[in-house]
Amino acid sequence: MTWSAVLLVTAVVWAVSVIRSVRLRALVYSLPLPMTLALVTTEYRVDGAQVLGVLGLNLFFVTVAVTHQRWRWPILLADVAGIAVYVALSAGLLAVDIPFEVALAGTLVLWLAAILWLRRRARQRGASVEEAVAVAETRPDGLPALLKLVVIFVGAVLTQLLGAVLRGMVVTFPYSGVLVAVEARRQLAEFSRHFARNSLGLVGFLTAYHYLQDVSSAAALGAGWAAFAVVAAALHLPWRPARSRTRERRAARRGHWGGHTANRVETARKGC
């Protein structure tokens, strides 16, 4: 990998470090910028292993969140555990030939199952999670800005060197994720949930790239970013069932006419 990759990772992590909203942090991190740079600067192709690598990204953050928040490991040691999980998964995926369509179907099924499980947990936990996130977002970071930039840059160099030994799985290696996990250490569980949802956009990016990579890399990248944008927009659009909207309109009408009738009754009473 090149110095441009190091600078890109530094820029992504810096952007995440100055954003207070955990949802926006997860969205910015999910942008396929490192993937794009890896595909441009290497000759690796996108196959089934890379699509499953998106699951590896999620496993990285889950591992860091569990080891740091539940097991109370230091954040850097938790990062090492997350990298070990990703490298082990990558070694297994590179050892077998996985057809792209099989990998895509498996990834989509696992993604849907994870989202449904996360939503059920969120309903069970209620508002306590949102309150905890709000408190964490207002807590100052403590590191001076210049020192933080130096730490991010050095970390970017180290993660680039590590990612370069993964062959094809370098495409989905969590370059900036290693440092983002440090920045979001107080919000890791919530960050992981939001990133899990946004990661479907990365699947869309890799899928579009896969089917056009034999045409040209430029066309594949353009289609990949377009697919990511469409999926990301669909994921973040407000969604309510039509039946719920109909019920809300009916309730509003009943409230309007009920209030109108009450005003008439009150006016008649005053007239008497």
Side-chain angles (χ1 to χ4, degrees):
M1 302 295 282
T2 62
W3 281 105
S4 60
V6 174
L7 294 176
L8 177 60
V9 170
T10 303
V12 171
V13 180
W14 177 259
V16 170
S17 72
V18 299
I19 296 172
R20 291 302 176 191
S21 169
V22 67
R23 294 185 180 183
L24 188 54
R25 279 187 170 198
L27 179 60
V28 170
Y29 174 72
S30 68
L31 294 174
L33 292 170
M35 286 187 182
T36 299
L37 197 58
L39 290 169
V40 168
T41 57
T42 67
E43 297 180 353
Y44 293 120
R45 295 172 57 83
V46 171
D47 293 314
Q50 283 71 42
V51 174
L52 291 172
V54 176
L55 299 178
L57 284 173
N58 283 283
L59 284 175
F60 167 81
F61 279 109
V62 170
T63 302
V64 176
V66 170
T67 53
H68 178 62
Q69 293 187 332
R70 182 171 297 181
W71 296 354
R72 306 299 182 184
W73 288 16
I75 185 61
L76 295 180
L77 188 58
D79 256 341
V80 172
I83 293 173
V85 169
Y86 181 86
V87 171
L89 176 67
S90 299
L93 293 176
L94 292 174
V96 295
D97 184 19
I98 306 173
F100 183 84
E101 287 74 17
V102 173
L104 178 61
T107 300
L108 292 177
V109 169
L110 291 173
W111 179 87
L112 182 59
I115 294 301
L116 293 175
W117 180 73
L118 288 172
R119 285 185 176 179
R120 186 176 65 179
R121 280 198 68 188
R123 286 195 297 267
Q124 292 173 349
R125 297 182 67 179
S128 59
V129 173
E130 297 297 333
E131 294 172 358
V133 170
V135 172
E137 288 179 354
T138 58
R139 190 178 300 173
D141 213 347
L143 282 178
L146 183 59
L147 177 59
K148 182 188 294 186
L149 185 60
V150 172
V151 171
I152 290 172
F153 180 77
V154 173
V157 173
L158 295 177
T159 53
Q160 288 287 1
L161 294 175
L162 179 60
V165 304
L166 292 173
R167 292 184 290 162
M169 295 305 292
V170 73
V171 173
T172 52
F173 180 75
Y175 296 104
S176 53
V178 174
L179 301 168
V180 166
V182 177
E183 284 293 328
R185 57 191 177 277
R186 300 188 184 99
Q187 308 159 309
L188 274 173
E190 188 71 8
F191 182 91
S192 299
R193 283 191 287 270
H194 288 297
F195 175 70
R197 183 181 67 163
N198 294 335
S199 63
L200 185 63
L202 298 178
V203 176
F205 172 87
L206 292 173
T207 300
Y209 188 94
H210 169 79
Y211 285 112
L212 288 178
Q213 61 187 341
D214 291 330
V215 177
S216 73
S217 59
L221 286 173
W225 274 94
F228 174 84
V230 170
V231 175
L235 288 173
H236 290 85
L237 284 176
W239 181 87
R240 287 180 300 173
R243 186 175 299 177
S244 298
R245 292 196 297 267
T246 302
R247 288 176 179 173
E248 290 179 4
R249 286 196 294 266
R250 288 176 180 173
R253 284 197 295 268
R254 285 197 298 269
H256 170 75
W257 289 112
H260 188 61
T261 303
N263 290 336
R264 284 185 174 182
V265 170
E266 184 64 23
T267 303
R269 287 179 178 176
K270 290 181 179 179
C272 293

